[in-house]
Amino acid sequence: YMDLDIVIQDNFDREIKWAVKQNRKIACVSDAIGWMGVKFSSSLMVLKSGSSQEYFRQFKQLWPSLNERAGGDQVWLGPQLKNVLYLDKKFPNLKKNLKFHLAKECNGTLTLQLSYVRTNWHEVLA
């Protein structure tokens, strides 16, 4: 699974094949800023077929309240997942986060440079 706003810059077949061979329920990239204290990111995931239906059932039951939840579904789901394989730990150049990489660091605080980001994201400690 990939979010629609992902920009693919290079072939990542090797990384996906490696993730599948690890035989985990879920592999993903970590959230670049640990959004609301959650390392899990739903932007790029490799899901083991048939292994996590309980999360989708819960999601359907809780919708549309999850749409209004602070941090969204990613912040809801992340803490429930156990034994997540973080692909960027093995492949550190696999992903970049535009908002994170456009930010400036000053005294341990990231200052977001885009007005959209500044309006819609909280300040992040480095």
Side-chain angles (χ1 to χ4, degrees):
Y1 167 88
M2 290 189 306
D3 279 348
L4 294 175
D5 61 352
I6 285 184
V7 176
I8 300 170
Q9 294 185 305
D10 204 350
N11 183 306
F12 55 93
D13 289 353
R14 174 180 66 118
E15 291 85 347
I16 301 301
K17 288 176 182 175
W18 180 85
V20 169
K21 287 180 184 176
Q22 305 314 302
N23 200 32
R24 300 270 189 94
K25 282 185 175 185
I26 187 166
C28 70
V29 293
S30 61
D31 188 88
I33 61 173
W35 177 242
M36 297 187 79
V38 176
K39 182 178 180 179
F40 170 75
S41 170
S42 58
S43 64
L44 178 106
M45 299 183 292
V46 179
L47 305 165
K48 184 177 180 182
S49 178
S51 69
S52 300
Q53 298 96 329
E54 67 273 14
Y55 302 117
F56 185 63
R57 279 193 292 274
Q58 289 175 349
F59 180 85
K60 287 191 326 184
Q61 289 173 349
L62 294 171
W63 188 262
S65 66
L66 286 179
N67 191 42
E68 302 301 322
R69 182 186 172 100
D73 59 342
Q74 175 174 305
V75 172
W76 166 78
L77 180 58
Q80 297 182 60
L81 300 173
K82 306 295 180 236
N83 202 25
V84 174
L85 176 63
Y86 289 99
L87 296 171
D88 45 318
K89 187 172 181 179
K90 171 83 173 166
F91 304 102
N93 294 318
L94 177 61
K95 61 105 182 181
K96 298 221 183 295
N97 180 290
L98 177 65
K99 296 167 191 119
F100 179 77
H101 289 282
L102 289 178
K104 272 189 186 174
E105 183 177 356
C106 181
N107 297 325
T109 299
L110 290 179
T111 304
L112 304 173
Q113 301 301 304
L114 303 173
S115 62
Y116 168 83
V117 175
R118 194 176 308 113
T119 301
N120 296 288
W121 293 63
H122 68 300
E123 286 193 30
V124 181
L125 296 178

